[in-house]
Amino acid sequence: MVKTQDIARFEGVRLFFTGVGGQGTLLATRLVGEAALAAGLHASMSEIHGMAQRGGIVESSVVLGNIQAPIVGEGQADVLVAFEPLEALRAINRCHAQTQAVVNLAPIVPFTVAAGQGRYPDIARAVAMLQEKLAKVVALDAEALARQAGSVKATNMVIMGAVAAMQVLPMSKETWDACLQRIFPPKLYELNQKAFNMGYEKGHP
């Protein structure tokens, strides 16, 4: 893990987020950006969410450190954050052999599959494929953990807790927590902090 005192020498990390509308992908992206800024890092963000309100694909990215371009192109993602297993497979071209990934195992079946026009991939095989191609994959049922924390709406914070625990970002646990307090109103902070901590436990090596 990059320690706080080593931030001046931190070169940079490219994170690519993918999910579907309504999963809180953009809020998670914002959390990373704010945590990075709080730690004294340069951060650039971008997002694509044209069909977000209809359950369409939502993609975003955060680039930290001494990297100027905010877009994560093919083969450039150092960290893949996938809120849905099928979307993790779709994003594999953004990754390289040293990419580390957090993948939510709870599927959201596309309309075409629900209408009988296609088949959803086998999740276990999808994870095995990701593990074969990437350096590390943390696969977890973030939705189930969020339900345990108190609300499935906190699924995105479970995932972000796992990302924070992967030891590739130079933000301390205290910095993440301070940003959670800033983003969420008091009545929602405790629930989302609990969800974040549950993900952190799952993602910690």
Side-chain angles (χ1 to χ4, degrees):
M1 181 178 187
V2 180
K3 297 179 180 178
T4 302
Q5 61 267 32
D6 295 330
I7 281 179
R9 297 195 297 272
F10 179 69
E11 289 299 323
V13 172
R14 294 180 174 90
L15 299 97
F16 184 76
F17 296 73
T18 184
V20 300
Q23 289 192 291
T25 306
L26 300 182
L27 181 60
T29 307
R30 176 187 165 194
L31 175 63
V32 174
E34 294 212 8
L37 292 174
L41 287 166
H42 178 268
S44 298
M45 301 170 54
S46 67
E47 58 191 55
I48 300 173
H49 51 101
M51 296 291 286
Q53 299 302 316
R54 298 185 180 183
I57 299 171
V58 178
E59 296 179 346
S60 59
S61 62
V62 181
V63 175
L64 310 181
N66 300 322
I67 303 172
Q68 298 303 315
I71 304 298
V72 176
E74 290 194 12
Q76 291 186 327
D78 302 303
V79 178
L80 170 64
V81 186
F83 289 69
E84 205 279 332
L86 176 58
E87 298 311 322
L89 287 179
R90 292 189 208 269
I92 195 72
N93 66 326
R94 305 281 186 147
C95 303
H96 52 75
Q98 297 306 312
T99 299
Q100 298 193 37
V102 172
V103 180
N104 180 21
L105 295 176
I108 296 179
V109 177
F111 172 76
T112 51
V113 174
Q117 299 173 2
R119 295 178 58 186
Y120 196 90
D122 181 85
I123 294 176
R125 292 181 63 182
V127 171
M129 183 183 300
L130 292 166
Q131 290 172 330
E132 180 180 336
K133 293 182 177 295
L134 307 181
K136 179 179 180 180
V137 176
V138 175
L140 72 170
D141 189 340
E143 186 174 306
L145 291 171
R147 191 175 293 109
Q148 290 178 33
S151 173
V152 293
K153 293 181 179 179
T155 298
N156 58 347
M157 290 302 112
V158 173
I159 295 169
M160 291 316 303
V163 172
M166 291 178 69
Q167 301 191 352
V168 294
L169 302 177
M171 290 85 91
S172 67
K173 186 75 162 39
E174 291 74 20
T175 297
W176 288 104
D177 189 63
C179 290
L180 289 172
Q181 282 189 290
R182 188 159 57 247
I183 288 176
F184 291 103
K187 65 179 181 180
L188 296 178
Y189 163 68
E190 185 174 345
L191 184 156
N192 282 281
Q193 183 201 36
K194 183 178 181 181
F196 184 93
N197 288 338
M198 292 175 78
Y200 193 90
E201 290 179 9
K202 290 289 183 181
H204 207 278

